[in-house]
Amino acid sequence: MRKIGILLVFILAALPAWAAGDTLVIAQGVDATTLDPVNHQETPTGNVTAQIFDNFYRRTPDGKYEPWLGEAKALDDLTWELTVRKGVKFHNGEELNAEVIKFNFDRLLNPDKPLKYSTYFKPIKSVEVTGPYTLKVTTEKPFPLFLTRLTYFWVVPKQYIEEKGDAYFANHPVGTGPYKFVRWVKDQEIVLEANEDYWAGKPRIKKVVFRPIPEASSRVAELMTGGVDIITNLAPEAVAVVNGSGVAEARTVPSIRNIFVVLDVKGEGPLHDPKVRQALNYAVDKKSIIEHVLGGNGVPVGCPLNPYIFGYDEALCEPFPYDPEKAKQLLAEAGYPNGFSFTMGSPSGRYLNDRQVAEAIVGQLAKVGVKVELRVQEWSSYVGQILERKIPTDAWLIGWGNAQFDADNTLFTLLYGGTVEGGPPQTRFSYWADPEFDKAVLEAQSVVDQAKRQALYKQALERVRAGAPWIFLYEQEDIYGVNKRVKWQPRPDELIWAFDAEIVK
């Protein structure tokens, strides 16, 4: 933090005039991991691919969804009719039609080559082309989340992928979106140019560049000297200086993202005991971390959800109070009166002061006798290990932004343990298995009545509260540093969509 302060003193001594032009430069803490829009699960990657591709339904800034590349209408509990927007073309000239949409469904549902988003469409039984721009989708069971899931249905070109293959496409993307791909120099920049023939209107900004800059101080330096226009995760200690610079400002928004520590509860070690896991939750002072590490930019949580998300229950999501004496008592009851040791991973630069948050947790757990060895990694390796279930630590700090605004996207995706007979296997992110929880979240996936779904999620949250499979931390408040020449407001879902932005000259 002192490093940022010293750096800003020198920056303010010689601030240049902002360069004019039609280029928007966005600095995130990490690079994209792929440019295939349905084969990742990271917001920084999604921010890039959202410029190149369109989804079938899109999410508006207030969290609602609306038709975009087409519209879906329920014919009965198991059947949907899809109508594709006419007159849309991919950047290579391919036409969007029903055959292309079917290709996209087939690609997602191919069991031999599963993609990261494939799980969102598993209830689909069949897809039939019924006309040049119409399709019929049949599901195995009622699918109340279908319209929400269509916001994750990013449409890719059939002919181009069949000719070039998935691997080439993931590095040389072609979409229907407002910006065309120009080049990707990994860990340096991704360059995009305006699609002048975009079906929704000509983009106001002619060129967009994404730059990965892991160090918070370096992102601030680039913002203040005109190297970038928007930076994510502006350090709280830099907000006052940025706001006083006259050339840039901080813009904030409460986020859909929760930050937490996943605990590997498999096996017979201390973390297998729910009393130990509850003790860890009582031992972490969330309010202190938010005040001293995040500059007040967060809200403590006690469950995997936050108030944006359907299924949230205020009583069951009440934060665990900071109570180190209760933590010691629970540890003693579990057979660890002198504490124990474990390893914990953390990224650096992905979330707001993530490494510093992890360091604070290590210090607080030490006060109740729990020794934590912290291992900090760069993001691409870290997230790769998590996705492949090869994380080398007993616990890891991570965040989840539920852009579907429904509890299923968090509870099923992150915690479903695969205990339901005949049901799906344990999800890639889950290290916990609770039969009552699994039964409730699986049933909620096929219940159309929203009140019944809410009741099922309440049952699930009761099991989460008792089992404490994570150390619950906080709902993040996102802080962006923005050049004043950029007309743009941040969104709760963390999407940075250049088509909505404008450079004011």
Side-chain angles (χ1 to χ4, degrees), residues 238-315:
V239 168
V241 178
V242 169
N243 282 340
S245 69
V247 293
E249 62 186 7
R251 299 178 192 173
T252 65
V253 64
S255 173
I256 57 170
R257 183 173 303 281
N258 279 17
I259 305 295
F260 48 90
V261 176
V262 177
L263 304 172
D264 186 349
V265 306
K266 304 189 309 298
E268 299 301 323
L271 296 179
H272 184 70
D273 192 325
K275 280 191 175 182
V276 168
R277 303 195 298 266
Q278 288 179 350
L280 300 182
N281 274 280
Y282 284 112
V284 174
D285 189 348
K286 278 77 67 178
K287 290 182 178 179
S288 176
I289 290 174
I290 291 168
E291 179 181 356
H292 298 292
V293 181
L294 303 178
N297 293 285
V299 179
V301 295
C303 82
L305 308 179
N306 60 58
Y308 281 118
I309 309 304
F310 174 80
Y312 173 82
D313 185 286
E314 185 175 1

Side-chain angles (χ1 to χ4, degrees), residues 4 66 103 135 188 251 267 282 488:
I4 290 176
E66 64 180 13
F103 168 80
L135 305 94
Q188 292 186 39
R251 299 178 192 173
Y282 284 112
W488 170 82

Side-chain angles (χ1 to χ4, degrees), residues 387-416:
L387 291 171
E388 298 301 324
R389 294 181 71 89
K390 294 179 179 178
I391 195 79
T393 53
D394 303 309
W396 49 95
L397 185 143
I398 196 73
W400 186 258
N402 185 338
Q404 293 184 24
F405 292 79
D406 189 282
D408 179 78
N409 181 242
T410 297
L411 300 184
F412 177 81
T413 305
L414 303 186
L415 289 167
Y416 176 77

Side-chain angles (χ1 to χ4, degrees), residues 361-383:
I361 292 170
V362 170
Q364 292 173 357
L365 292 180
K367 294 178 180 179
V368 298
V370 176
K371 299 178 180 63
V372 180
E373 177 190 337
L374 181 62
R375 301 177 186 174
V376 179
Q377 294 189 66
E378 59 87 20
W379 174 250
S380 60
S381 297
Y382 188 72
V383 72

Side-chain angles (χ1 to χ4, degrees), residues 204-250:
R204 289 170 292 200
I205 295 172
K206 301 305 180 185
K207 185 177 178 181
V208 177
V209 178
F210 282 87
R211 292 179 54 195
I213 304 178
E215 285 296 323
S217 58
S218 298
R219 289 197 300 275
V220 173
E222 290 281 2
L223 175 69
M224 301 292 278
T225 56
V228 302
D229 296 295
I230 298 175
I231 66 172
T232 61
N233 294 334
L234 174 63
E237 60 271 22
V239 168
V241 178
V242 169
N243 282 340
S245 69
V247 293
E249 62 186 7

Side-chain angles (χ1 to χ4, degrees), residues 354-365:
D354 44 15
R355 176 177 54 80
Q356 295 92 326
V357 169
E359 289 169 348
I361 292 170
V362 170
Q364 292 173 357
L365 292 180

